Amino acid sequence: MKAASFTPGPSSAVRYLTAAGTREEKVKLSGMAGREGTESGDTMALRIRDLSWYLAFGHHKTMKSAPTFVLWWDKVAVQAGSNSGVPCVKCFFSSMSPELHIPTPWGGVTFSPPLTSGPPPPSLQPSATARDPPCPHSTGNFGGYNCGECKFGWTGPECKRRKPAVVRKDIHSLTAEEREQFFDALDRAKTTIHPDYVIATQHWRSLLGPSGEEPQIANCSIYNYFVWLHYYSVRDTLLGPGRPFKGIDFSHQGPAFVTWHRYHLLWLERELQRLMGNESFALPYWNFATGRNQCDICTDQLFGAPRPDDPGLINMSSRFSRWQIVCNSLEEYNRLVTLCNGTDEGPLRRRPPRGSGEQLPTVEDVRRCLSLQQFDRPPFFRNSSFSFRNALEGFDKPDGALDSPMLSLHNLVHSFLNGTSALPHAAANDPIFVVLHSFTDAIFDEWMKRFKPPDNAWPEELAPIGHNRLYNMVPFFPPVTNRELFQTAEQLGYTYAIDLPGSLEETQAWAVMVGSTIGGALIALAVLVLLLVLFHHQRQRRGFEPLMNVSFSPKKYMGEA
């Protein structure tokens, strides 16, 4: 690929936005599951989504100059290193020279600063290279789109103090006040325009509009941005009109399933904390391991009961009956070679309450999953066997044995809810998604605490694209690697009020101990009964005999004296 040079012109003022794009690159056919086709022997051309790059426009609403513009390469972020290189837009701007060429395995890219009426602002003056950013926030625990906040789990002016952990509780154990606060926060997030981010509405070739100077972006609400992130991670790769490539998923079917959704929830939790002005707020979880064929949170007091006249819809008395879904028309986006633009596409839908014999997972399913000691196994895909991650995601049986048509745990719950939740690109529209994945994360956290896996338990290579240990999770911005989320929840600033079942080995050991105790007691009792029977039988055979053969004298006690 030729080096690219970008010099965007003026556009409407936005504060800070990230827009994810795609780019054509060569990918080696190295046995990666789901990839087909060849070009020039053993390579093929794919327009891989923003594992390769991010477009970032940074501009405050009150400023009138053209927005800054940067092409963010995933490989650059990895090569620069998360400890020393470019974690924030601000740092990257300050480390750019007016004409900065960065070599990549695909030929390189040239950055050009935006056109302005005067000299470049101080943050764009030539300074250091991208490998040596002078921004003081480029190291340590700073994060956020502008380096203006702490990474998860940290607090304080210098982000050097551990933040007190918030506690995620079972949604059924929330007080009436806590429950109302949670649902009110969701409702407000659904209708509040996100103050910092907008979404890209066009495929990368059309991202800057017909003139090349008009970024194709749109405002969206806080919750809809949460939905859009999940949609973008699973959407088809667009090779052209009518040519979607469906073999890439950055948030499922690989090790990143657990870390991607963990970061996704952390992001929403922080957004809701800000929206309510309550840093102690925590997302609840839904313990779906009931084994029932009923959804015990599908009530009007919680996430909405079925509508009597149309059980696939939510009852009108629930606030969620008014929610409209976004990012649902995947086939239409593919046909038009475009992206979800955040427009409403109809109401939430769920399964009818009856007519299906499908049941939710059981406590025993969770126990068996937590007994799997290996985090993941080759090929690190949906056909991995005896893999904790794959069993939790739900492509394996809970005990790790591979069964291709099998649905368990996480996947089974999505299937059970049906409707909007059954479609990966649209599932996050249903607010049940939040509490479902919070419980899934609780199981992951319990596994982390029990087995304390080393860093290399996560594959460094050979996992699907976006799923290796040091790969960035698409499309979060600033970039964050899977490795950074492969730790216990407490290190990230939250814990769970939960009592999950012990491992299968612990249960079996306990059963053996109890069985041995009971068995020993039964044997002792049997021996005692046998002795009593024998004694009684002997007495009957010999007839009655006095206990002592003695004779009595009529003399008084003192007579002899």
Side-chain angles (χ1 to χ4, degrees):
M1 180 181 172
K2 295 180 180 179
S5 179
F6 294 87
T7 53
S11 70
S12 58
V14 293
R15 185 178 178 189
Y16 278 90
L17 66 93
T18 63
T22 64
R23 168 183 101 67
E24 186 171 344
E25 67 177 61
K26 300 287 185 178
V27 179
K28 290 287 183 182
L29 283 176
S30 55
M32 296 173 70
R35 280 106 177 124
E36 299 176 354
T38 61
E39 180 184 272
S40 304
D42 66 343
T43 65
M44 63 178 173
L46 291 179
R47 288 174 177 84
I48 303 301
R49 288 166 287 166
D50 51 13
L51 177 69
S52 302
W53 58 272
Y54 290 88
L55 287 175
F57 303 82
H59 186 59
H60 196 275
K61 292 179 179 179
T62 60
M63 296 174 64
K64 297 183 179 180
S65 59
T68 49
F69 178 89
V70 60
L71 186 63
W72 185 287
W73 289 78
D74 174 75
K75 293 295 181 182
V76 171
V78 170
Q79 290 169 357
S82 57
N83 289 332
S84 61
V86 219
C88 312
V89 176
K90 176 183 174 184
C91 305
F92 194 66
F93 290 162
S94 62
S95 63
M96 283 174 56
S97 63
E99 191 79 2
L100 177 63
H101 180 84
I102 296 181
T104 73
W106 309 281
V109 60
T110 298
F111 296 99
S112 297
L115 299 175
T116 61
S117 56
S123 62
L124 287 176
Q125 294 285 3
S127 56
T129 66
R131 289 182 178 273
D132 186 25
C135 173
H137 293 175
S138 63
T139 57
N141 301 314
F142 287 94
Y145 71 90
N146 64 350
C147 294
E149 60 189 32
C150 299
K151 290 181 179 179
F152 295 113
W154 297 92
T155 188
E158 300 299 322
C159 298
K160 292 181 178 179
R161 287 189 289 111
R162 282 287 182 183
K163 183 179 179 181
V166 300
V167 181
R168 295 182 180 177
K169 305 176 184 177
D170 190 322
I171 193 164
H172 290 297
S173 71
L174 297 181
T175 65
E177 182 181 357
E178 289 172 331
R179 187 168 60 244
E180 183 60 28
Q181 183 185 53
F182 170 58
F183 289 122
D184 183 58
L186 287 178
D187 224 14
R188 289 173 60 189
K190 183 68 173 176
T191 56
T192 302
I193 297 299
H194 202 295
D196 300 323
Y197 292 96
V198 299
I199 59 174
T201 61
Q202 287 295 328
H203 183 256
W204 74 279
R205 290 188 182 276
S206 306
L207 193 56
L208 295 180
S211 66
E213 298 181 347
E214 302 174 6
Q216 302 299 292
I217 49 129
N219 282 321
C220 67
S221 72
I222 293 171
Y223 193 86
N224 283 355
Y225 186 70
F226 176 77
V227 175
W228 190 91
L229 289 169
H230 193 262
Y231 145 78
Y232 194 88
S233 74
V234 304
R235 76 171 181 86
D236 298 333
T237 301
L238 303 177
L239 305 180
R243 296 174 58 212
F245 182 77
K246 298 178 179 290
I248 298 174
D249 188 326
F250 290 112
S251 57
H252 304 85
Q253 304 179 54
F257 165 75
V258 290
T259 48
W260 195 100
H261 288 89
R262 166 170 281 188
Y263 193 83
H264 196 214
L265 290 182
L266 278 167
W267 182 91
L268 179 65
E269 190 169 61
R270 177 173 283 182
E271 294 295 327
L272 297 184
Q273 287 169 349
R274 289 173 177 160
L275 192 61
M276 298 182 296
N278 179 6
E279 287 194 0
S280 65
F281 169 81
L283 298 173
Y285 65 86
W286 168 39
N287 186 340
F288 52 67
T290 65
R292 303 173 186 166
N293 63 354
Q294 293 180 337
C295 171
D296 61 359
I297 58 173
C298 297
T299 65
D300 286 340
Q301 290 73 36
L302 297 175
F303 290 95
R307 201 162 116 183
D309 60 330
D310 186 347
L313 294 175
I314 296 173
N315 198 6
M316 298 294 288
S317 60
S318 167
R319 69 181 84 204
F320 297 113
S321 66
R322 301 185 293 275
W323 277 35
Q324 290 282 307
I325 64 174
V326 298
C327 301
N328 187 53
S329 305
L330 193 62
E331 297 304 320
E332 184 72 2
Y333 310 148
N334 290 347
R335 185 181 67 81
L336 298 174
V337 194
T338 188
L339 302 179
C340 163
N341 61 11
T343 56
D344 293 344
E345 299 182 22
L348 281 170
R349 301 195 75 91
R350 295 195 192 122
R351 75 192 298 265
R354 294 180 178 83
S356 172
E358 201 168 33
Q359 292 182 323
L360 288 165
T362 66
V363 173
E364 186 61 24
D365 292 338
V366 175
R367 187 194 317 279
R368 290 181 179 278
C369 180
L370 283 170
S371 299
L372 297 170
Q373 298 184 21
Q374 197 155 345
F375 172 67
D376 213 340
R377 292 166 56 93
F380 311 112
F381 194 53
R382 66 177 175 229
N383 56 343
S384 294
S385 58
F386 299 101
S387 153
F388 165 76
R389 184 275 313 165
N390 206 30
L392 177 60
E393 189 171 355
F395 289 107
D396 272 1
K397 290 181 178 179
D399 62 2
L402 185 64
D403 188 348
S404 295
M406 178 72 186
L407 287 178
S408 65
L409 293 174
H410 158 266
N411 285 351
L412 176 57
V413 182
H414 276 292
S415 175
F416 179 89
L417 293 170
N418 207 345
T420 305
S421 289
L423 305 172
H425 60 273
N429 279 288
D430 193 329
I432 289 181
F433 179 96
V434 176
V435 293
L436 185 165
H437 276 275
S438 188
F439 183 64
T440 304
D441 182 69
I443 298 173
F444 171 45
D445 186 54
E446 181 68 20
W447 185 89
M448 290 289 290
K449 290 188 292 187
R450 289 185 186 182
F451 293 102
K452 300 177 177 58
D455 200 43
N456 62 8
W458 191 294
E460 191 168 1
E461 57 183 1
L462 302 180
I465 190 168
H467 288 260
N468 287 327
R469 188 196 318 160
L470 299 180
Y471 277 27
N472 292 327
M473 295 183 285
V474 177
F476 299 123
F477 187 87
V480 57
T481 65
N482 292 304
R483 180 185 187 180
E484 295 174 63
L485 276 293
F486 194 51
Q487 52 187 316
T488 61
E490 190 169 12
Q491 293 174 290
L492 295 167
Y494 69 102
T495 60
Y496 286 97
I498 195 168
D499 185 18
L500 288 169
S503 67
L504 194 60
E505 289 77 8
E506 290 174 342
T507 304
Q508 290 172 341
W510 183 84
V512 168
M513 182 182 68
V514 172
S516 300
T517 303
I518 295 175
L522 290 175
I523 291 173
L525 182 63
V527 170
L528 180 61
V529 170
L530 180 62
L531 290 174
L532 289 173
V533 169
L534 288 174
F535 178 72
H536 181 69
H537 177 71
Q538 186 177 21
R539 287 181 60 190
Q540 286 184 330
R541 186 168 59 84
R542 293 172 58 187
F544 172 77
E545 292 183 2
L547 183 62
M548 297 179 64
N549 291 319
V550 295
S551 58
F552 294 91
S553 170
K555 292 182 179 179
K556 295 182 180 178
Y557 177 70
M558 298 293 290
E560 195 169 309

